[in-house]
Amino acid sequence: MYIGKNIRYLRGKHRQTLKHLAEKLGKTPGAIGDYERNRNTPPVDVLLEICEIYSVNIDDLINKDLEAEQYTSGQTAERTAPYNSTQDEKLLYALLKEKFKLVAAELKEKDLEAYKKLGLDKLEDW
């Protein structure tokens, strides 16, 4: 997983300070630093917000070394899109969000500790 390295890379690429990104995410600069140093893993809602801020898909944020690939915003859409990106991505996002809610609810029932550890309890209002 490359989450911390990629957050640092994207933040630097966009010339943002820890404080600036922390304010956008409603976190402390220390929390962002901990994510970048892999001391803590960001909750799912924070990962999704980071993806939105930097126009990167979550799979790339987690699984690819973006710095090694010289990632550019929109690269994924260009690579995979023989579709109307705006409409189809909104529909896909809505479908994924609903599926995510179902999976989260199932996890909550089966393993409340894991549910809370992933920060899913903070997403219940969406």
Side-chain angles (χ1 to χ4, degrees), residues 108 112 115-125:
K108 184 179 181 180
L112 185 60
Y115 177 84
K116 288 182 177 180
K117 187 174 181 180
L118 289 169
L120 299 176
D121 54 326
K122 297 172 185 156
L123 298 176
E124 290 183 345
D125 61 338

Side-chain angles (χ1 to χ4, degrees), residues 39-94:
R39 290 184 181 156
N40 288 323
T41 301
V44 174
D45 62 322
V46 173
L47 288 172
L48 292 172
E49 186 68 22
I50 290 168
C51 290
E52 188 173 314
I53 290 168
Y54 296 122
S55 300
V56 60
N57 78 43
I58 196 158
D59 184 53
D60 289 352
L61 180 68
I62 295 169
N63 296 313
K64 292 186 179 179
D65 183 349
L66 300 180
E67 184 175 20
E69 294 185 17
Q70 294 297 308
Y71 192 88
T72 58
S73 294
Q75 181 180 20
T76 301
E78 292 172 13
R79 230 183 10 226
T80 61
Y83 56 82
N84 180 341
S85 296
T86 306
Q87 277 187 328
D88 288 349
E89 285 176 357
K90 286 180 182 177
L91 176 61
L92 179 61
Y93 177 78

